[in-house]
Every structure is written in structure tokens, then in C-alpha cells.
Amino acid sequence: MQDMWDDRYSNEEFYYGVEPNVYLKEKLSDLEKGSILLTAEGEGRNAVFCAEIGWNVVCYDTSKVGKSKAEQLAKLRNVKIDYHIDSHKSFISNELFDVIAICYNHLPNCYRESFHKKIINYLKPNGYLILECFNKNQINNNTGGPQDINQLYSLDELIHDFDNLNIIEGIETNIELKEGIGHVGHSSVVRIFAKNNLSI
């Protein structure tokens, strides 16, 4: 998988563009600045945006090419991001975060739930989860995302995965994506905005 993503990010152009995910931007606008963890961060568009607006950013991805381009973008925008080369299985954090963002991070069913249960352990009490991914109807579109329906998510699956959080918003909807050349056009997505109401 690392080779696939390295190859996808190997051109000078940013495959998913340099602008942040619209849903992430919208939800962060209502939250007090703090620390944020971004999974599968690729070329860094979301991480750099978060740093620009005052968040302390930690992110990871398996792609060394993605990291290099993310750090170039951060330097260009005069911000700092803490970018790790890591996988979902091996990633470990010694800190908790005010926000965890999962944007178009698709895994097979056999890994999806365990990854979501694991990553949410790094969310602070009263912290927030922001997620946008393709839902199963995306299999009928040609606008990005996995071609395997078992790597596309349903709202019910995600509510199950994050059953220890307070789901503030959980929707399946259709949107027009404009994210580089990788996500373009009519798309079917699932969105989750949730809060960790658990105390330490």
C-alpha cells in the first residue's frame, strides 16, 4: 500500500489539492483551538490548514512522498506540523488530542472497527471526532474512493464503531467534491461529528 500511495503522490501536482476538506473546516470553525490528530494525512492539505488557523498538529501516513510534500507545503505556508511515517496498526501516541480527524481513510471491514476503536483512545475527555468518508453508494460514482464496497462505510457501521461517543451529527448525504484531481464531482459521503463525554 505504501508503494501505491507513493506513486499516487509522485507528481508535482497535489493529487487531492491543497485546500482543506470542507466538512473539517466547517466543524473546526466552532471549536476552541487545541491539539489535533489527523490520520492518513497524505500530502498534508488538512494538517497545514489546521496549523495555519492555530491548531497544534500531529498527523501520520505510510507515504514518505506524501510526508515530503506535506512538509514542503507547511514550509511554504510558514507553519509547523508533526508528521510521522506510520501505519494504522503500528501508530501509538503518548498524548491525547482535543480533536481527531478522519478524512477519506478507508479500510477493509476486517480492520475498520478495530482501527476506529483504537484511534479514539487518543481523544481527550470532551474532545471531538470529525469524520468524512465515502458511503456505500459511492460504488455507483466515478469520483474517487475505493472500488471495493467492503471498504466503503455506512452510517450504521460508524455509529457502531464509535458507540462510546456522543454522536452529535451522523448523516449520509450527496455532495459535489472539488478536491484536486482525486475527488471531483457528485459523491456519496457519510459524516460523523461526535464528542467524547467520558471522564478520565
Side-chain angles (χ1 to χ4, degrees):
M1 288 296 289
Q2 179 184 337
D3 290 342
M4 184 198 80
W5 290 110
D6 281 346
D7 182 65
R8 180 167 294 184
Y9 298 147
S10 62
N11 294 327
E12 183 176 346
E13 183 178 14
F14 281 67
Y15 192 79
Y16 297 108
V18 296
E19 297 304 315
N21 175 264
V22 170
Y23 189 64
L24 174 66
K25 181 178 180 179
E26 172 190 318
K27 291 305 177 185
L28 287 180
S29 67
D30 295 327
L31 301 182
E32 184 178 347
K33 305 296 190 299
S35 59
I36 185 168
L37 171 66
L38 300 110
T39 70
E41 180 49 18
E43 298 164 299
R45 63 191 177 101
N46 292 319
V48 170
F49 165 75
C50 291
E52 284 184 298
I53 62 172
W55 289 81
N56 296 317
V57 176
V58 175
C59 57
Y60 73 87
D61 199 289
T62 60
S63 173
K64 294 180 180 179
V65 177
K67 178 182 180 183
S68 177
K69 291 178 76 173
E71 291 176 339
Q72 291 172 23
L73 183 61
K75 184 176 181 180
L76 181 67
R77 300 280 180 86
N78 196 31
V79 295
K80 293 183 179 180
I81 59 175
D82 185 8
Y83 194 125
H84 300 258
I85 296 295
D86 221 328
S87 71
H88 299 312
K89 288 185 177 181
S90 61
F91 177 78
I92 295 174
S93 175
N94 294 320
E95 63 177 306
L96 302 180
F97 298 90
D98 296 292
V99 172
I100 293 176
I102 303 174
C103 296
Y104 297 101
N105 183 176
H106 289 271
L107 295 171
N109 279 337
C110 56
Y111 298 124
R112 186 204 75 244
E113 181 180 355
S114 61
F115 163 65
H116 288 157
K117 297 290 189 187
K118 171 189 172 181
I119 205 68
I120 218 66
N121 287 328
Y122 300 126
L123 190 61
K124 288 182 180 179
N126 297 313
Y128 292 89
L129 168 72
I130 302 170
L131 179 149
E132 181 174 280
C133 294
F134 291 116
N135 73 34
K136 294 186 184 298
N137 291 330
Q138 181 65 10
I139 201 72
N140 300 313
N141 301 321
N142 188 29
T143 53
Q147 300 303 302
D148 180 355
I149 198 168
N150 291 313
Q151 294 186 45
L152 299 170
Y153 299 162
S154 72
L155 178 59
D156 287 344
E157 287 172 340
L158 294 178
I159 288 175
H160 169 78
D161 293 354
F162 300 114
D163 60 357
N164 57 337
L165 301 182
N166 174 27
I167 307 295
I168 299 169
E169 178 177 67
I171 57 172
E172 290 182 308
T173 188
N174 295 311
I175 62 174
E176 293 295 319
L177 275 177
K178 296 179 181 178
E179 298 183 334
I181 62 172
H183 292 161
V184 183
H186 183 80
S187 303
S188 300
V189 302
V190 56
R191 290 169 164 175
I192 295 283
F193 182 56
K195 186 175 184 180
N196 182 11
N197 288 335
L198 300 178
S199 59
I200 298 177

